Amino acid sequence: MESPLLDDYSGDHHFQLIGPDGDYRRIRGLKEWWAVFWIESAKLWEIGGPIAFNIICQYGLYAITVAFCGHLGATELSAVSVAQTVIGIFAFGFMIGMGSALETLCGQAFGAGQVHMLGVYTQRSMIILLLSTFLLLPIYIFATPILKLLGQDHEIAVVAGRFAMLTIPELYSLSINIPTSKFLQAQSKVGVLAWIGFVALVVHALLLWLFIFVFNWGLAGAAISFNLVGWANAIAQFVYVVVWCKDGWKGWSWSAFSDIWAFVRLSIESAVMLCLETWYMMSIIILTGHLKDAVIAVGSLSICINVDGFEAMFFIGVNAAISVRVSNELGLGRARATKYSVYVTVFQSLLIGIVCMIVVLAVRNHLAILFTNSKVLQRAVADLAWLLGITMLLNSVQPVISGVAIGGGWQGLVAYINLGSYYVFGIPLGYVLGYVANLGVMGLWGGMIAGLALQTLLLSVVLYRIDWNKEVEQTTERMRKWGGQHIETEKTAGPQSPKGLRAKIYA
């Protein structure tokens, strides 16, 4: 959908931003940059706002589970935090990474006008994600011995393992939830995602209160609610796709099984890229479990990570939005529109990160109240607030650049950058500061912030050096290679491509 602002400016003969090919003209002067800023902002938040809200609601299912269980006691708080962060987020990160290949292909196919292929790609992704759940199943089944092997406190590991086992049904709901989300995002049909996510969050909160405090089912009640809401969310999205998206969903097709290996390779690259990011913060929980007074250390850090998680989930929404914008514009062959949308998004995200950091520092003494009644934990969280603020600032830019990578299809390069920045540099430095220099949680987190800063710097350099015209030229080849389809190009009279070419895909 084009912005009304875009129509206004493109119709002004004295101030034309849009050329006959549908792409921006070369921008000169502050007035034209200001116009582009508002046009791209409107497009970004039209897509990104509902996506961000939906993902925050999805994350809220994890966070409010921790919050409700935290009022049962410090051990329950730490155990559920470990189960959700180490086991749940580990699995969620892997699954959403495997599903991000769909984000690249659906976005570029939609931009190229091949809407009928979205259903085939989505079915292919469902197959791959369903198989992935069986690979993750042993992690849930053997959660307690795994956590003990990683050095977690015995009591925390036992309770966390029991809770992880009870949430296995929710894992399988992700094989439907994630592909249907990507299907809708690629077409900017994101309003329904926001409503479904909001209803799911409200229902989960009510069920948690009912099962934990009225029926006195404790952690088992929290797990039951988590499973029910996860599946209700997935089924609601699937029904909407099948019933109301007939242009993209043409029914079940055997084409979903053809040339599936190319799709698997892109899925694995996407999973490695995102998992290295997701598991990075998870690893600090594991390292913290080795410190003295592990219950307080893990509990305070878990609260900080849950607070940071809300901002991170918001920017994952922005990540998805810029991924849709980049993939759609590349599919349409618009190099400048792609570039300008990226620059505007990075700038706005940085400003939001600064605001989040200021807010966290201003309310640092009250951050933990929603999660615990313990004054000791509340003071420990306040002491960590400045590290939380810096993390939130860095996390405002990094997901945006990752979204650009997903939209463009260069997940492999970002995976190598993540591996070096996080696991070769950040974690070893955190270990040295935390254990050798005896700085404890602050040392661990400080070293990992250094790794995050290095990764953001390297990704910024990569972003600066991108040749967007070359990326446009490579889009058709990527769709042929990863989509497993036969592709030709044909002359078009319309503005779909700056060179008058448009991809034509045959199943």
Side-chain angles (χ1 to χ4, degrees):
M1 181 184 296
E2 299 291 349
S3 167
L5 282 171
L6 185 58
D7 296 333
D8 293 343
Y9 283 117
S10 61
D12 186 343
H13 295 293
H14 300 288
F15 189 47
Q16 285 193 335
L17 291 176
I18 309 301
D21 57 6
D23 200 1
Y24 287 110
R25 297 179 185 274
R26 189 177 297 277
I27 304 301
R28 292 182 173 85
L30 183 60
K31 185 178 180 181
E32 293 185 8
W33 275 112
W34 186 245
V36 170
F37 177 84
W38 282 109
I39 291 169
E40 288 302 325
S41 295
K43 288 185 175 184
L44 173 71
W45 294 111
E46 184 179 11
I47 302 170
I51 295 176
F53 183 76
N54 171 255
I55 293 178
I56 287 174
C57 289
Q58 286 187 348
Y59 179 76
L61 299 180
Y62 292 87
I64 67 171
T65 302
V66 174
F68 271 86
C69 294
H71 289 280
L72 295 173
T75 299
E76 286 80 359
L77 170 65
S78 297
V80 174
S81 295
V82 168
Q84 296 286 60
T85 305
V86 178
I87 305 299
I89 298 300
F90 180 98
F92 180 76
F94 182 78
M95 292 288 282
I96 202 169
M98 292 294 286
S100 291
L102 185 64
E103 202 167 314
T104 302
L105 286 169
C106 279
Q108 294 186 1
F110 183 76
Q114 306 299 324
V115 182
H116 66 281
M117 289 304 302
L118 270 62
V120 176
Y121 292 153
T122 300
Q123 292 168 37
R124 196 173 293 171
S125 183
M126 287 180 179
I127 295 166
I128 294 171
L129 264 64
L130 180 59
L131 294 175
S132 298
T133 58
F134 289 98
L135 295 177
L136 293 169
L137 192 57
I139 299 173
Y140 282 75
I141 295 173
F142 301 105
T144 295
I146 289 173
L147 291 172
K148 288 182 180 179
L149 183 64
L150 293 173
Q152 295 302 297
D153 177 81
H154 172 78
E155 187 177 5
I156 293 175
V158 170
V159 178
R162 189 183 308 128
F163 186 82
M165 283 277 288
L166 292 172
T167 59
I168 288 176
E170 191 271 342
L171 169 65
Y172 284 88
S173 72
L174 297 178
S175 62
I176 297 175
N177 187 312
I178 293 172
T180 51
S181 295
K182 304 301 182 186
F183 174 94
L184 294 169
Q185 287 172 19
Q187 303 170 79
S188 301
K189 296 180 178 180
V190 291
V192 64
L193 291 176
W195 278 109
I196 291 173
F198 175 70
V199 171
L201 183 62
V202 172
V203 170
H204 186 45
L206 291 174
L207 290 179
L208 284 171
W209 171 77
L210 184 67
F211 291 166
I212 294 176
F213 299 113
V214 177
F215 295 167
N216 291 318
W217 290 353
L219 296 185
I224 292 171
S225 176
F226 194 61
N227 294 329
L228 289 175
V229 172
W231 269 103
N233 197 344
I235 292 170
Q237 289 179 188
F238 181 74
V239 169
Y240 184 86
V241 166
V242 172
V243 176
W244 284 282
C245 299
K246 298 293 187 180
D247 52 343
W249 184 274
K250 301 295 185 181
W252 297 100
S253 171
W254 287 107
S255 298
F257 292 93
S258 64
D259 297 308
I260 199 169
W261 180 241
F263 198 100
V264 170
R265 287 200 300 270
L266 180 59
S267 297
I268 291 172
E269 286 186 0
S270 302
V272 170
M273 185 195 84
L274 290 179
C275 287
L276 289 175
E277 296 175 4
T278 305
W279 298 344
Y280 187 53
M281 289 308 294
M282 177 200 74
S283 63
I284 191 175
I285 293 286
I286 295 172
L287 291 173
T288 304
H290 294 267
L291 296 172
K292 295 178 180 179
D293 199 2
V295 171
I296 297 300
V298 172
S300 61
L301 185 60
S302 298
I303 290 171
C304 287
I305 289 178
N306 272 283
V307 172
D308 175 64
F310 279 104
E311 190 221 35
M313 293 303 113
F314 172 82
F315 279 108
I316 286 178
V318 179
N319 168 300
I322 190 60
S323 173
V324 170
R325 290 285 295 123
V326 168
S327 59
N328 285 177
E329 295 296 349
L330 288 178
L332 286 164
R334 297 172 178 171
R336 287 201 185 101
T338 308
K339 178 170 66 175
Y340 295 160
S341 66
V342 170
Y343 288 172
V344 168
T345 305
V346 170
F347 176 73
Q348 291 192 13
S349 298
L350 181 61
L351 291 181
I352 294 170
I354 292 172
V355 171
C356 289
M357 180 177 67
I358 292 172
V359 169
V360 163
L361 293 177
V363 301
R364 61 186 180 276
N365 292 320
H366 309 286
L367 280 176
I369 291 176
L370 291 175
F371 294 88
T372 180
N373 298 321
S374 169
K375 297 297 183 183
V376 175
L377 277 173
Q378 290 176 18
R379 285 194 297 271
V381 170
D383 291 339
L384 294 173
W386 67 277
L387 289 172
L388 175 60
I390 296 172
T391 302
M392 296 180 85
L393 176 61
L394 292 172
N395 278 341
S396 67
V397 177
Q398 178 271 332
V400 176
I401 304 177
S402 294
V404 176
I406 292 171
W410 8 283
Q411 290 94 324
L413 172 62
V414 180
Y416 283 114
I417 291 175
N418 290 352
L419 181 64
S421 300
Y422 290 162
Y423 298 92
V424 176
F425 176 70
I427 290 179
L429 179 60
Y431 182 86
V432 169
L433 294 176
Y435 287 94
V436 179
N438 291 320
L439 295 179
V441 174
M442 289 189 177
L444 289 171
W445 200 350
M448 301 182 80
I449 286 176
L452 181 59
L454 177 61
Q455 183 238 26
T456 303
L457 175 63
L458 293 176
L459 288 178
S460 300
V461 171
V462 170
L463 187 63
Y464 176 76
R465 294 173 62 87
I466 291 173
D467 183 341
W468 291 108
N469 289 308
K470 185 176 179 181
E471 292 298 316
V472 166
E473 294 171 1
Q474 293 176 348
T475 296
T476 300
E477 172 60 21
R478 285 171 175 158
M479 291 169 66
R480 183 199 65 77
K481 175 183 175 182
W482 295 326
Q485 311 297 324
H486 175 63
I487 294 180
E488 296 176 357
T489 55
E490 61 179 10
K491 292 286 182 181
T492 64
Q496 275 79 10
S497 168
K499 298 181 180 178
L501 294 175
R502 182 168 180 169
K504 190 173 183 180
I505 309 177
Y506 303 94

